[in-house]
Amino acid sequence: MYTKILEESETLQKDLITWRRQLHQIPEVGMNLLKTSEYVQRKLSEWNIPFEVKANGSCVVGKLGTEGPCILLRADMDALPLSEESGEAFTSENGCMHACGHDMHTTILLGAAKVLKIHESELKGQVKLLFQPGEELMEGAKTLIGEGILTEPDVGAAFAMHVTSLAPLGMITYGKTPLSSVYGFEIALTGKGGHGSSPEVCIDPITAGVHVHLGLQELLARECPFGSEVSLTIGQFHAGDAPNIIPNTAAMRGTLRTFDDELAGKLIRRITEVSKKIAEAYRVQAEVKALYQGPVLVCAEEMNDLALSCVKKLGLDELVWDKLKGTGSEDFAYIAQKVPSTYFTIGASVGAPEEWISQHNPKVRFNEAILYKAAAIYTAVAFEWLEQQEV
């Protein structure tokens, strides 16, 4: 069966490349993915796969099988607000870009859907195909759980994969806690603007912001135990419009990531306290608000083992690393909180290692050679899990 799955997936490779490039040229961000959703709907309709549309039309949930246990296969579809610089012949031109590879994910799940449809009569249960918006915002999975994606029928397990541009081609990685929690925050600083020649009559929010930034870094050095797995980054700092004007306001945005919920709670409180107190010392008002938040991604060991067994049966286990633990974040974590789940990555690097470019970079490229292999893994995991439920 596994040899057949891999062979049938490989026969789709030319189609997979076409679908991926078409999706790559229509990137959409956040929870508004109407064009992408319509593309998926057309494909599922061609193959007579019934589906529901959720999230105001931006999510598609396909369904295979009619009764019995149910597994969910998930692919995220949203892009990033980046102007593409990859140099690909199929570059997007609308100011957005699939710089995280979600066009690859959507394509891979479409491939799995087509192969699963061929073998629908052999399924020992049901498969939900979740084409999801809003992963980059940490909103999609939580919203869709609220809209009932894990019920009617009840989902018993879930599987997701992510391509990575910084791993050898075809390398499979996974772990118990592969990705960290995340807390995104904004610090709004309000002072008193004026002419740069007279700082003494102004209250400078930029100076306060610089010291707030330094103070937040000290949280890692002086308030986290040795060996803590924590990352705190300020990725945005906006203030002012001219070199000779002290602005009224400044704004900073950042993220906190950790694998320890208790430590995360402490640091979230301290981010607010430190920001307000340091700003106060410079006569500036500081307000801290949460932008988004997501839990640690915790995978079920039995699901990790099941997915790995599928990779081996497909003969795709030449490069496997079982200690994936990174400070990226994933809203699939919300699904993993509800049902036993696993999350694998697959290497999709282009060229030699010195040429690899990180995801979320406007120059990043992904290797389409892994499309059919990843589609086969999705298909095999669905079959294997349903088979085991009969035992």
Side-chain angles (χ1 to χ4, degrees):
M1 180 62 180
Y2 291 90
T3 299
K4 181 182 286 188
I5 287 172
L6 188 62
E7 289 174 349
E8 290 175 347
S9 299
E10 189 170 11
T11 64
L12 293 176
Q13 178 67 357
K14 287 185 179 180
D15 288 334
L16 293 170
I17 291 172
T18 298
W19 303 340
R20 184 262 167 150
R21 295 183 181 186
Q22 290 172 342
L23 286 163
H24 191 84
Q25 292 180 302
I26 56 168
E28 299 168 290
V29 299
M31 294 294 290
N32 186 19
L33 311 185
L34 295 180
K35 290 182 180 179
T36 309
S37 173
E38 288 170 2
Y39 187 97
V40 171
Q41 291 175 54
R42 286 197 302 272
K43 291 300 179 186
L44 297 185
S45 296
E46 285 177 23
W47 308 327
N48 295 314
I49 297 176
F51 60 84
E52 294 180 83
V53 177
K54 295 182 178 292
N56 297 316
S58 292
C59 173
V60 184
V61 184
K63 183 169 157 295
L64 293 157
T66 57
E67 60 182 16
C70 178
I71 184 171
L72 180 144
L73 306 178
R74 177 273 212 166
D76 40 11
M77 305 193 296
D78 53 324
L80 291 159
L82 289 174
S83 294
E84 184 164 356
E85 301 173 15
S86 69
E88 298 281 24
F90 47 91
T91 295
S92 65
E93 297 180 352
N94 67 355
C96 300
M97 180 190 177
H98 274 295
C100 200
H102 294 186
D103 55 329
M104 300 278 285
H105 303 166
T106 307
T107 301
I108 288 163
L109 187 54
L110 284 172
K114 190 164 188 180
V115 176
L116 285 164
K117 181 63 179 179
I118 294 170
H119 298 281
E120 186 172 20
S121 63
E122 302 166 49
L123 292 173
K124 305 298 184 183
Q126 302 173 80
V127 181
K128 280 189 181 180
L129 309 165
L130 174 59
F131 295 89
Q132 180 204 304
E135 189 280 326
E136 296 290 354
L137 303 179
M138 299 299 289
E139 289 183 15
K142 185 165 56 173
T143 297
L144 291 162
I145 290 170
E147 292 190 19
I149 58 160
L150 298 181
T151 60
E152 297 182 357
D154 290 343
V155 170
F159 175 71
M161 287 189 77
H162 205 300
V163 297
T164 174
S165 61
L166 295 178
L169 188 64
M171 182 176 186
I172 300 294
T173 67
Y174 69 98
K176 174 65 175 174
T177 52
L179 295 172
S180 71
S181 67
V182 64
Y183 169 68
F185 59 91
E186 179 181 76
I187 305 168
L189 301 158
T190 303
K192 179 182 176 182
H195 201 288
S197 65
S198 305
E200 73 280 4
V201 299
C202 303
I203 301 175
D204 189 351
I206 295 178
T207 296
V210 169
H211 287 276
V212 168
H213 178 275
L214 294 173
L216 294 180
Q217 300 309 307
E218 294 302 322
L219 292 177
L220 305 185
R222 287 295 174 263
E223 298 194 25
C224 293
F226 178 76
S228 297
E229 298 167 311
V230 184
S231 172
L232 196 163
T233 297
I234 300 296
Q236 289 181 301
F237 193 147
H238 296 296
D241 298 305
N244 62 342
I245 298 174
I246 293 174
N248 282 310
T249 62
M252 305 163 63
R253 287 186 168 190
T255 60
L256 170 72
R257 303 168 190 272
T258 180
F259 294 91
D260 184 327
D261 289 337
E262 183 177 349
L263 181 58
K266 171 190 171 183
L267 290 174
I268 288 170
R269 290 192 299 273
R270 291 292 287 145
I271 286 170
T272 296
E273 292 169 359
V274 168
S275 299
K276 286 179 175 288
K277 293 295 185 183
I278 291 178
E280 183 181 348
Y282 291 89
R283 301 176 296 149
V284 169
Q285 290 184 328
E287 294 297 327
V288 182
K289 71 174 182 179
L291 300 174
Y292 50 84
Q293 196 164 354
V296 178
L297 174 54
V298 180
C299 294
E301 290 187 22
E302 68 273 17
M303 287 299 296
N304 281 353
D305 292 344
L306 182 146
L308 180 60
S309 73
C310 292
V311 169
K312 290 179 176 178
K313 290 175 182 177
L314 291 166
L316 300 177
D317 59 330
E318 184 177 348
L319 286 172
V320 175
W321 188 51
D322 64 356
K323 294 178 176 58
L324 176 61
K325 191 171 189 178
T327 48
S329 55
E330 244 290 355
D331 81 341
F332 185 67
Y334 285 110
I335 293 173
Q337 285 184 327
K338 301 292 185 180
V339 298
S341 301
T342 185
Y343 180 91
F344 276 36
T345 74
I346 184 167
S349 55
V350 176
E354 59 270 18
E355 302 174 80
W356 297 350
I357 297 173
S358 172
Q359 283 156 233
H360 288 224
N361 183 304
K363 296 182 184 294
V364 69
R365 299 168 62 209
F366 297 94
N367 199 320
E368 295 168 331
I370 57 88
L371 289 172
Y372 80 89
K373 296 177 182 180
I377 293 171
Y378 267 100
T379 305
V381 168
F383 265 101
E384 183 72 18
W385 186 83
L386 291 174
E387 288 281 350
Q388 290 193 10
Q389 304 318 296
E390 283 212 328
V391 176

